[in-house]
Amino acid sequence: MKRHQDILDRLAKEKHLEVLDLCEILNVSAVTIRKDLKLLEQKGLLYRTHGGASLDNPYINERTVLDKEKISVEEKNGIAQLAASRIVENDSIMIASGTTVQALSKYIKAKNKLTVITSSVHVVLHLIHDSNIEILQLGGYIRHSSASVIGNYAEYILKNVSCSKFFIGVDGIDLEYGLSTTNLEEAELNKKMLDAAQKVIVLADSSKFGKKSFARICDLSQVDEIITDRGISETNRKKLEEKEIKVTIVDEK
């Protein structure tokens, strides 16, 4: 059926599509689109999501930081380098765990003095040689798969600190579900880190859009900016900007 091929062709370009957008594009009802998506999913050609469809499985399984480091390396480095330009002189920032924010630490050059609060062991190891950077390593249990801290000790410290920016990497960004990660304790710590920051900046390559994982971090209303690569679909970009989220794309002219 031509309509089915149109859906698949658009998905190949957009990676994720909403039912309402397909209704408008193909001029058919939501009931018809949902039937189409169900049939195409049964054939193994796409995955249905809440309110839409995706070419990739929208549900994320946990992977180690070593595995993640090998994925979308060029995109992550570009995002990290751009994110580093957001740091100003005498700034006080917070950095979560994850390979994209870990890459950020490689590009940080302290302007006079910089204070960094982080849950990531790898971030500390990257920054420790710069005497202009004052580091507050959050304490607690180490989560082996992400080489980061989790638990009540870290959350207690965060009750007594504040910073200008929070740089966070995530496993999934869903327009309805929000930001998510694979570990519930890490999500809880991220919530506390988010509360201690004046501005929330998400660093995520385009493969993270339309995905959701077990542990929800926050609604998108709490996000100020998302820095990503050119693979983000125009639909996702438009909907994020409608939510008053600044979307910055690496290498965009």
Side-chain angles (χ1 to χ4, degrees):
M1 183 186 293
K2 183 179 183 302
R3 189 171 66 247
H4 289 178
Q5 191 58 51
D6 286 343
I7 291 171
L8 294 173
D9 288 344
R10 289 183 180 277
L11 262 182
K13 295 178 182 177
E14 298 282 328
K15 306 302 180 188
H16 180 267
L17 289 170
E18 299 290 316
V19 168
L20 294 179
D21 291 330
L22 286 170
C23 291
E24 185 176 336
I25 292 166
L26 300 174
N27 196 29
V28 292
S29 69
V31 172
T32 298
I33 290 296
R34 290 192 179 95
K35 287 180 179 178
D36 289 342
L37 297 181
K38 183 177 181 180
L39 181 61
L40 291 169
E41 184 179 51
Q42 289 171 346
K43 293 181 178 180
L45 297 173
L46 54 74
Y47 293 91
R48 284 187 296 165
T49 65
H50 178 72
S54 172
L55 278 185
D56 301 318
N57 189 336
Y59 296 97
I60 310 296
N61 292 319
E62 184 171 6
R63 290 175 290 192
T64 68
V65 69
L66 293 176
D67 291 333
K68 291 179 181 180
E69 280 180 336
K70 302 169 187 174
I71 302 170
S72 305
V73 176
E74 185 178 344
E75 289 83 355
K76 288 176 180 177
N77 282 326
I79 291 165
Q81 194 167 6
L82 195 154
S85 69
R86 297 287 185 268
I87 300 169
V88 299
E89 187 175 3
N90 298 317
D91 214 344
S92 177
I93 67 171
M94 199 174 309
I95 302 177
S97 63
T99 52
T100 310
V101 288
Q102 182 178 311
L104 165 64
S105 64
K106 297 187 298 183
Y107 295 100
I108 292 176
K109 305 297 179 187
K111 299 169 183 175
N112 193 8
K113 181 186 175 184
L114 173 66
T115 300
V116 176
I117 305 160
T118 185
S119 58
S120 170
V121 174
H122 286 301
V123 167
V124 172
L125 292 175
H126 278 132
L127 300 180
I128 199 167
H129 302 292
D130 191 332
S131 60
N132 288 324
I133 301 177
E134 189 173 78
I135 304 168
L136 173 57
Q137 166 73 74
L138 297 176
Y141 290 101
I142 295 292
R143 184 173 167 234
H144 291 272
S145 61
S146 62
S148 64
V149 170
I150 54 173
N152 293 336
Y153 294 112
E155 294 175 19
Y156 175 77
I157 293 171
L158 289 169
K159 290 180 180 178
N160 301 297
V161 301
S162 179
C163 66
S164 68
K165 305 173 189 76
F166 174 34
F167 294 95
I168 178 174
V170 296
D171 290 312
I173 302 174
D174 183 88
L175 292 169
E176 300 298 327
Y177 189 61
L179 306 183
S180 59
T181 187
T182 57
N183 182 271
L184 189 60
E185 286 184 286
E186 189 167 287
E188 288 302 311
L189 179 58
N190 284 338
K191 290 175 184 178
K192 297 295 189 299
M193 296 174 85
L194 190 148
D195 290 340
Q198 295 175 22
K199 188 173 185 179
V200 177
I201 303 175
V202 178
L203 311 188
D205 67 82
S206 56
S207 70
K208 304 295 177 62
F209 292 95
K211 302 285 183 70
K212 62 174 69 172
S213 197
F214 170 70
R216 186 173 181 270
I217 299 169
C218 70
D219 188 80
L220 287 175
S221 64
Q222 293 182 263
V223 174
D224 296 286
E225 181 179 9
I226 296 176
I227 302 177
T228 188
D229 59 74
R230 287 176 289 181
I232 184 175
S233 71
E234 191 57 36
T235 298
N236 277 330
R237 178 179 181 172
K238 181 180 177 183
K239 289 184 179 297
L240 288 166
E241 289 175 341
E242 286 173 355
K243 294 177 180 287
E244 299 184 349
I245 298 170
K246 180 180 180 181
V247 180
T248 304
I249 299 176
V250 176
D251 293 332
E252 186 175 63
K253 304 299 183 183

